[in-house]
Amino acid sequence: MADIATAFGLVFQPYVLSVILLSAVFGLVVGAIPGLTATMATALLVPITFFMPPVPAIASIVTATAMAIFSGDIPGALMRIPGTPASAAYTDESYAMTRKGQAETVLGADLVFSVIGGLFGTVVLVLSAPSLAEIALKFSSFEYFWLVLLGLSSAVMISVGDPLKGVVSLLLGLLISAIGLDNPAAYPRFTFGSIELLGSVGLIPMMIGMFAVSEILRYAVEQQGEAQLFQKQIGNVFRGMWGLLKRYPLQTLRGSVLGTAIGALPGAGADIAAWMSYAMSKKFSKEPEKFGTGHIEGIVEAGAANNSALAGAWIPALVFGIPGDSITAIVIGVLYIKGMNPGPTIFIDHPANIYAVFIVFFLANLLMIPFGWAAIKAAKRILDIPRNILMPVILLFCVVGAFAINNSLFAVTVILVFGLGGYFMEENGYPVAPAILGMILGAMLEENFISSMIKSDGRLLGFFERPIAAGLGILTLIVWLWPLATWRRRAAASTRA
Amino acid sequence: MGGLLLVLAAAIGIYVSGFPGMPGQRYGAALFPGMIAAGLAACGALLLARGVRAKAPAFEFAPWTRVPALAANFALVCGALLFYIFAAEPLGFMVTGTLLLLALFLKLGVRPLPAVVVAPVAALVIHLLFYKLLRVPLPWGILGFMAGW
């Protein structure tokens, strides 16, 4: 109890509260501007949070991302361009409703069900994380090895598109994580005599490159088409929301549950949660024929899903140090910098800070109601910001931000290389998420693998001798064999046909 | 792409085989990267086989590369970062930042007057934010005489 009281004390300070308010505005603006994503918002915040104490630093990321995922819906409804990838699943649907003159209803539903989804995910996070951590305390290197491998494998399987390209992306990420001195034998690998590379490639500059610089490159080669902004005064967005909630309680719950679960799976975040839950909504709907013509049902479900995924992603991030999405991938980097190393012991070493993070989650989602309302009102202003001025300024900001982490120009080289890398991977259908996970988890995977090999004296069976390890190991093997099995079955079916 | 991965994997394999073992242990620094290399080689072979079977061209250029203006945009963004890397120390952040912004603004179609005004102001704001507020030692370069302000 004392910890919870301390946590309230940590959050309800003028400094922390003003950080939260500023981050909320920042998140809303970034989310609403097409081409700027919630992950990019996080990457841009990191250099600034670098100079803050842990609680406000985390609070600013939590608030900004929650706001950004909601406000990404705004240009979807008004311009038919998703503000962030997490809104892409139902952009056409939202715009169709706007054209039918129901802009208020769409935006209201986006807002209200984002809040509900966000709160649901937060409740699951608060309830599950501490008890999972107690189990995780008993884990040895075998369990961790399997857990990391399971996380990496599911990231590959769930990534949209080609699993083979997912594996390539993952392996490249692991390879990058092997750079430097930080390995069990402390032998400098892949440094080619460079002093900067000895300390391995910095996580934050890599993220800024992959999530911010690559987006700027994408903007630079985009064919500039003028999108039409829906020009009409937006009325009361909250009218009829209670009716929607009463009409679609199951959909709201299903979206929130699925969103939280997808968020908690490594490598899949709010965008995949929204796609899957929109598809699910259509499949189980009583009126599937209305989907795509401006029907609110899927928006309710997917809108709740993407916000609940945000909180869900924090569960594995805090408990195991395994990021649930690309935002928490950056958060893990921040936690290490702040000395709050993620893992089960974080709940013992920094309980007040963790409770403070939980409080911020609730606060951010509740703040979304007034702030989101204001953002809808100001949508036209935000969408009028000329992107040809914004993008270069963001580029300069990236440069300085990367430089600020350890005052070296090497970081600027890193953002260029990883910006290009991230851009070309995405263009060629190689998902970026597995690479990110590989970079972050590579060291953990290797360390646990090598110490397990030493403990079991090289016997692979030793990896299955502890019950939880065996369970996780079998689960991992199933994840590996699943696509092979379906591929075989499909091949068999096609030869018969 | 598949071929490229095979070459990379082979290079890693050769490089890694030179790593010393941990004294008294069988599993050293080479094991893990070696496994990554094996995985990359397998993926490379699969991709190559698939590409050959589909008779896909070895390399395809994205549509924007054929639009000179867009290709130039791309090159300019990369060039801007390279310019910063080399010019930040001698010229200082404010000058480098202003030039970088100005070049990008003009190329991306911002009208000259707003571009000339916004570039130095934005550079100044970022400078103040990081230098004054966050105490990041941004280089002063040729404006070194202002450092005392």
Side-chain angles (χ1 to χ4, degrees):
Chain A
M1 274 324 274
D3 289 330
I4 297 177
T6 322
F8 270 97
L10 282 171
V11 175
F12 290 94
Q13 291 177 12
Y15 174 66
V16 179
L17 291 176
S18 44
V19 166
I20 291 179
L21 295 184
L22 285 175
S23 313
V25 175
F26 172 76
L28 285 170
V29 172
V30 169
I33 295 174
L36 309 187
T37 67
T39 317
M40 186 171 174
T42 318
L44 293 178
L45 270 179
V46 170
I48 297 185
T49 60
F50 192 65
F51 301 91
M52 294 179 187
V55 171
I58 303 292
S60 75
I61 294 177
V62 169
T63 314
T65 50
M67 298 289 172
I69 293 291
F70 153 68
S71 71
D73 297 346
I74 299 176
L78 297 182
M79 296 164 79
R80 207 184 178 193
I81 301 175
T84 72
S87 308
Y90 47 89
T91 291
D92 286 342
E93 191 89 74
S94 310
Y95 191 69
M97 285 196 68
T98 303
R99 290 190 39 181
K100 289 202 304 197
Q102 298 170 327
E104 284 89 358
T105 317
V106 187
L107 290 169
D110 285 338
L111 177 55
V112 169
F113 291 94
S114 289
V115 172
I116 294 175
L119 288 174
F120 181 91
T122 307
V123 170
V124 175
L125 167 69
V126 171
L127 294 181
S128 68
S131 39
L132 269 176
E134 277 188 23
I135 304 173
L137 274 177
K138 302 194 186 80
F139 281 13
S140 71
S141 65
F142 294 107
E143 282 85 6
Y144 268 111
F145 167 74
W146 282 120
L147 200 63
V148 173
L149 200 59
L150 182 62
L152 294 174
S153 312
S154 61
V156 168
M157 295 309 160
I158 208 160
S159 58
V160 197
D162 189 348
L164 182 60
K165 289 184 172 178
V167 176
V168 172
S169 163
L170 169 65
L171 289 170
L172 290 176
L174 287 174
L175 185 65
I176 290 161
S177 82
I179 296 173
L181 262 181
D182 187 20
N183 58 68
Y187 178 77
R189 298 187 297 202
F190 306 106
T191 55
F192 307 105
S194 147
I195 295 164
E196 274 97 353
L197 281 177
L198 271 183
S200 79
V201 191
L203 200 59
I204 303 299
M206 281 199 295
M207 299 289 183
I208 293 178
M210 288 190 95
F211 293 115
V213 175
S214 69
E215 294 295 339
I216 296 168
L217 286 170
R218 190 162 301 126
Y219 165 78
V221 300
E222 201 175 73
Q223 308 276 1
Q224 302 293 338
E226 273 309 300
Q228 270 307 318
L229 179 63
F230 181 78
Q231 303 278 0
K232 199 174 147 260
Q233 199 56 41
I234 303 290
N236 180 6
V237 293
F238 294 111
R239 193 187 303 139
M241 287 307 124
W242 184 244
L244 278 180
L245 187 60
K246 275 196 296 188
R247 197 157 144 218
Y248 297 119
L250 182 67
Q251 281 80 350
T252 312
L253 183 67
R254 199 168 53 200
S256 304
V257 172
L258 185 73
T260 314
I262 301 279
L265 272 181
D271 42 348
I272 294 178
W275 282 108
M276 288 183 70
S277 121
Y278 183 78
M280 176 112 112
S281 182
K282 187 173 180 181
K283 195 169 174 188
F284 288 105
S285 171
K286 288 196 195 83
E287 327 164 274
E289 72 284 352
K290 284 194 186 167
F291 276 69
T293 63
H295 184 52
I296 194 81
E297 192 177 348
I299 299 175
V300 164
E301 188 159 344
N306 58 15
N307 276 78
S308 61
L310 277 182
W314 284 67
I315 299 172
L318 287 177
V319 178
F320 305 113
I322 298 176
D325 62 4
S326 43
I327 294 167
T328 44
I330 303 176
V331 168
I332 286 182
V334 174
L335 287 173
Y336 275 113
I337 294 173
K338 301 285 170 209
M340 285 172 66
N341 293 5
T345 49
I346 199 175
F347 294 88
I348 299 166
D349 298 342
H350 308 278
N353 283 1
I354 291 296
Y355 291 130
V357 171
F358 292 166
I359 294 169
V360 170
F361 256 107
F362 282 113
L363 204 57
N365 279 297
L366 291 174
L367 271 180
M368 205 191 291
I369 298 175
F371 273 73
W373 175 81
I376 292 172
K377 289 283 175 196
K380 203 178 145 342
R381 286 268 167 75
I382 299 176
L383 294 172
D384 269 348
I385 299 174
R387 290 204 287 155
N388 52 6
I389 289 186
L390 199 59
M391 288 297 186
V393 174
I394 291 177
L395 185 71
L396 188 60
F397 195 89
C398 292
V399 167
V400 183
F403 176 81
I405 299 295
N406 45 14
N407 301 331
S408 103
L409 276 174
F410 176 68
V412 184
T413 319
V414 171
I415 65 169
L416 173 60
V417 171
F418 280 84
L420 283 171
Y423 174 77
F424 281 111
M425 280 175 68
E426 288 242 310
E427 287 302 292
N428 291 300
Y430 289 86
V432 178
I436 300 290
L437 264 106
M439 290 173 202
I440 290 179
L441 296 176
M444 195 170 160
L445 183 68
E446 176 174 20
E447 194 186 306
N448 286 304
F449 176 64
I450 298 287
S451 52
S452 299
M453 284 295 269
I454 292 172
K455 274 191 232 168
S456 73
D457 204 20
R459 283 176 315 114
L460 287 177
L461 264 184
F463 283 79
F464 292 95
E465 271 164 7
R466 293 166 57 101
I468 297 179
L472 289 170
I474 291 167
L475 205 57
T476 311
L477 293 180
I478 291 174
V479 171
W480 284 10
L481 295 176
W482 190 258
L484 281 183
T486 49
W487 178 70
R488 282 285 299 262
R489 215 179 312 141
R490 218 175 296 154
S494 64
T495 45
R496 245 179 283 137
Chain B
M1 186 67 202
L4 223 63
L5 285 178
L6 278 177
V7 174
L8 176 68
I12 298 169
I14 295 166
Y15 178 66
V16 155
S17 61
F19 286 179
M22 259 196 279
Q25 293 293 352
R26 267 189 290 165
Y27 313 106
L31 179 61
F32 191 67
M35 288 167 70
I36 297 173
L40 278 176
C43 289
L46 279 172
L47 278 175
L48 199 61
R50 201 160 65 177
V52 169
R53 208 170 338 136
K55 295 203 174 56
F59 200 76
E60 252 180 310
F61 286 98
W64 60 263
T65 49
R66 265 170 293 206
V67 183
L70 294 180
N73 281 351
F74 191 86
L76 188 67
V77 172
C78 301
L81 288 174
L82 284 174
F83 171 69
Y84 186 90
I85 293 168
F86 291 106
E89 287 291 336
L91 292 182
F93 173 77
M94 298 254 251
V95 177
T96 318
T98 305
L99 290 175
L100 181 152
L101 287 178
L102 201 59
L104 284 169
F105 282 161
L106 293 175
K107 183 73 186 67
L108 292 172
V110 181
R111 275 194 301 275
L113 185 65
V116 171
V117 176
V118 175
V121 172
L124 183 68
V125 169
I126 294 181
H127 182 271
L128 288 178
L129 175 66
F130 279 89
Y131 189 81
K132 287 280 180 204
L133 225 55
L134 306 176
R135 313 215 165 275
V136 175
L138 293 172
W140 280 100
I142 53 173
L143 294 180
F145 60 91
M146 290 170 62
W149 292 9

